[in-house]
Amino acid sequence: MKKLPKSSGIGRRAFLAATSGLLAAAVPGSEVLTHAASPEAPLPSVPAPRPAGNLRKIPIGVFDPVYEHLSLDAMLDKVTALGLEAMEIGTGGYPNNHHCRLDDLVNDRAKAKAWLKKFEDRGIRVATLSCHGNPIHPDPKHAQKDIDTFRKTVLLAEILEVKVIVGFSGCPGGTPQDTQPSWITYRWPPEYAKMQDWQWKEKIIPYWKDAAKFARDHGIKRLALEMHPNFAVYNPRTLMKLREAAGEEIGANCDLSHLFWQGCDPVEVIHFLGKQGALFHAHMKDTVFFPENVNKYGVLNFAFETNELDLASETFRAVGYGHSASLWKSIIKAYMDVGFEGILSIENEDPILAGEVGVERAAYVLKNVRKELLGE
């Protein structure tokens, strides 16, 4: 596990403790867990649960890249020991395919079924296949590789009867001559508006219309796009813009860690997307804010490594280490209220609680708040 740089003058836990008391005032509706600075401390008490009524027990799972160092069987041992009920499996693109050799499984139905049986024998559901990539990258070779991965993932999902595929919308260049993606979120000066209009008309909508039809033709009706910076779909509005243009196969992978820093209210987002029938998948990942740096540098100042935290405005955390357990309880309740049919997929990119330990901490929080909501 990486440590904070010596120049910081304080230890990692002291650094987090120093910022945690300010977060509730800086981020409306948020409250840092007191155990963020001391992870061994017990979770704070929460109000007694109300009767569960018709609330569905949403399965808790994990996204497999966090176990990239393990074989498939060793990973399944870990997931089983944690008591998790489902998995999201990478098939290529940015997550890679450490536990799912896509070409082998697509070309051999018997091998694909034997692969799936390993999960089923342990009571673990393969709920989603994920091929996060950039299929509209201006480099034709890059784009074609991600297009091929998506199409093979659809074919594998059809074989395995997996109903949800997760990915990114991608981002094209800003002109036909560009060789690298151009993420445009602000439509001024006027040339940026022209570029953005060109992106959507010529690249984004045509590709996803075709991709949605391909998926639909193979029985896949849920393409869960992660709302992520540096891609065309990065918030609920851009997601709905693409859904309206390309078809109802387009929906959300709701990863709130990418929406917290944009100022979105997580419960409002879930209710909005649920009402639209556009909520297909959910990544469970938190974000912590460092108010003194937010005040100086704003929110477009993200850190991914512990040695960047001194100057960072925010970074990813495991569930419950950026926002309070009570807020996460409200989030899970919102998923239940809208009749969410997917899974709660833990994706750990916490630079402090890195790797498997972050999954364990997130699973502990999620299982406890779910238990309270269901009155178990």
Side-chain angles (χ1 to χ4, degrees), residues 167 169 200 223-228 231-247 249-254 259 269 272-274 276-280:
S169 62
W200 280 84
L223 303 178
L225 300 185
E226 185 166 340
M227 297 171 284
H228 193 289
F231 295 109
V233 168
Y234 61 91
N235 64 10
R237 183 178 178 186
T238 48
L239 176 81
M240 294 308 299
K241 178 179 179 180
L242 184 56
R243 179 179 169 89
E244 289 164 5
E249 289 78 16
I250 304 297
N253 167 27
C254 190
L259 302 182
V269 167
F272 170 71
L273 294 175
Q276 306 298 321
L279 197 57
F280 295 165

Side-chain angles (χ1 to χ4, degrees), residues 4-5 8 10-27 30 32-33 36-37 260-261 286-318 321-323 349-353:
L4 288 175
S8 69
I10 60 174
R12 182 178 64 208
R13 292 181 178 176
F15 177 77
L16 290 174
T19 62
S20 63
L22 300 177
L23 183 59
V27 183
S30 67
V32 173
L33 285 174
F260 282 131
W261 66 267
D286 210 339
T287 298
V288 68
F289 292 85
F290 304 124
E292 72 280 15
N293 289 336
V294 172
N295 292 341
K296 285 185 291 188
Y297 309 130
V299 296
L300 297 179
N301 180 41
F302 210 90
F304 294 92
E305 304 290 339
T306 54
N307 61 11
E308 301 172 329
L309 292 180
D310 277 354
L311 298 177
S313 297
E314 64 272 304
T315 192
F316 293 134
R317 295 304 316 266
Y321 287 79
H323 294 80
E349 294 180 334
D350 188 323
I352 298 169
L353 297 173

Side-chain angles (χ1 to χ4, degrees), residues 7-308:
S7 61
S8 69
I10 60 174
R12 182 178 64 208
R13 292 181 178 176
F15 177 77
L16 290 174
T19 62
S20 63
L22 300 177
L23 183 59
V27 183
S30 67
E31 172 187 288
V32 173
L33 285 174
T34 57
H35 70 286
S38 181
E40 292 77 13
L43 284 172
S45 60
V46 293
R50 291 178 293 180
N54 295 319
L55 297 181
R56 171 179 175 262
K57 185 176 182 178
I58 304 174
I60 298 170
V62 62
F63 189 17
D64 77 308
V66 71
Y67 297 113
E68 64 182 13
H69 59 292
L70 298 177
S71 68
L72 174 60
D73 289 335
M75 175 185 72
L76 291 175
D77 287 342
K78 291 276 188 180
V79 175
T80 301
L82 280 176
L84 298 180
E85 301 136 338
M87 290 204 71
E88 173 184 355
I89 302 294
T91 60
Y94 298 114
N96 214 322
N97 61 345
H98 301 285
H99 304 110
C100 178
R101 299 303 176 191
L102 185 58
D103 287 340
D104 291 346
L105 299 186
V106 167
N107 293 326
D108 189 332
R109 180 178 291 265
K111 187 178 290 187
K113 292 292 186 178
W115 177 87
L116 182 63
K117 190 173 185 299
K118 285 179 174 285
F119 294 84
E120 293 176 338
D121 286 348
R122 294 171 179 267
I124 297 171
R125 171 186 164 200
V126 177
T128 59
L129 300 178
S130 293
C131 54
H132 297 72
N134 189 351
I136 51 176
H137 195 289
D139 179 342
K141 290 183 179 179
H142 186 139
Q144 192 59 54
K145 181 179 179 181
D146 288 343
I147 291 169
D148 291 344
T149 297
F150 168 78
R151 288 184 167 237
K152 290 175 184 176
T153 301
V154 168
L155 297 178
L156 181 59
E158 183 180 26
I159 292 170
L160 301 177
E161 299 182 5
V162 171
K163 302 302 182 183
V164 181
I165 291 175
V166 184
F168 292 136
S169 62
C171 184
T175 70
Q177 293 76 37
D178 285 356
T179 60
Q180 293 296 328
S182 181
W183 187 43
I184 301 168
T185 63
Y186 200 74
R187 292 175 60 81
W188 195 90
E191 58 265 31
Y192 288 93
K194 291 180 181 179
M195 286 192 290
Q196 190 182 62
D197 290 342
W198 176 84
Q199 289 178 321
W200 280 84
K201 181 180 178 182
E202 301 297 332
K203 296 295 181 179
I204 301 166
I205 292 173
Y207 171 77
W208 283 106
K209 275 187 174 180
D210 182 66
K213 182 181 184 303
F214 182 81
R216 183 169 60 250
D217 289 345
H218 291 276
I220 309 302
K221 299 179 181 179
R222 295 192 168 199
L223 303 178
L225 300 185
E226 185 166 340
M227 297 171 284
H228 193 289
N230 282 330
F231 295 109
V233 168
Y234 61 91
N235 64 10
R237 183 178 178 186
T238 48
L239 176 81
M240 294 308 299
K241 178 179 179 180
L242 184 56
R243 179 179 169 89
E244 289 164 5
E248 292 187 353
E249 289 78 16
I250 304 297
N253 167 27
C254 190
D255 186 331
L256 294 171
S257 71
H258 303 305
L259 302 182
F260 282 131
W261 66 267
Q262 295 183 60
C264 295
D265 181 300
V267 173
E268 288 291 328
V269 167
I270 293 165
H271 284 166
F272 170 71
L273 294 175
K275 184 178 180 180
Q276 306 298 321
L279 197 57
F280 295 165
H281 188 58
H283 274 174
M284 295 288 103
K285 189 170 66 184
D286 210 339
T287 298
V288 68
F289 292 85
F290 304 124
E292 72 280 15
N293 289 336
V294 172
N295 292 341
K296 285 185 291 188
Y297 309 130
V299 296
L300 297 179
N301 180 41
F302 210 90
F304 294 92
E305 304 290 339
T306 54
N307 61 11
E308 301 172 329

